[in-house]
């Protein structure tokens, strides 16, 4: 759906469903320390079951380093690309 004339254009986002993130593959748009390819290895469920998923753990394929990020960060194509590119 096009935006209204004069309204700022919204950047495109990676379409993601949180329930399907586990074991998904991602490529960092700007690699740091030779870490470019990542796998989502864990969905961090909130303590309260009524709350929604907020955090995931991703593992760098090259180094095995694990870090925790908000899953919504994966929607930003300037930071992450879906799949191994």
């Amino acid at each position: 759906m096009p935006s209204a004339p004069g309204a700022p254009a919204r950047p495109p986002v990676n379409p993601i469903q949180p329930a399907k993130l586990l074991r998904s593959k991602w490529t960092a748009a700007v690699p740091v320390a030779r870490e470019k390819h990542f796998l989502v290895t864990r969905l961090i469920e909130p303590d309260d079951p009524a709350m929604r998923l907020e955090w995931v753990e991703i593992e760098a394929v090259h180094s095995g380093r694990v870090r925790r990020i908000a899953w919504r960060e994966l929607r930003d194509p300037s930071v992450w690309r879906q799949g191994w590119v």
Side-chain angles (χ1 to χ4, degrees):
M1 183 167 151
S3 58
R10 292 189 336 186
V13 297
N14 293 320
I16 302 173
Q17 294 179 2
K20 295 188 177 190
L21 279 173
L22 190 60
R23 292 186 288 281
S24 62
K25 299 174 183 178
W26 295 89
T27 300
V30 180
V32 175
R34 298 179 61 191
E35 295 178 342
K36 179 177 182 177
H37 296 115
F38 293 83
L39 282 169
V40 174
T41 55
R42 183 174 165 220
L43 305 179
I44 301 170
E45 300 292 338
D47 293 334
D48 181 358
M51 301 287 291
R52 293 184 178 195
L53 177 72
E54 290 294 325
W55 301 95
V56 296
E57 282 187 355
I58 60 172
E59 180 178 339
V61 174
H62 178 74
S63 67
R65 188 173 70 104
V66 175
R67 64 182 179 172
R68 180 184 289 197
I69 65 168
W71 76 264
R72 286 179 176 84
E73 288 181 33
L74 296 171
R75 297 180 73 193
D76 185 351
S78 68
V79 180
W80 295 103
R81 296 196 174 91
Q82 203 163 13
W84 288 346
V85 183

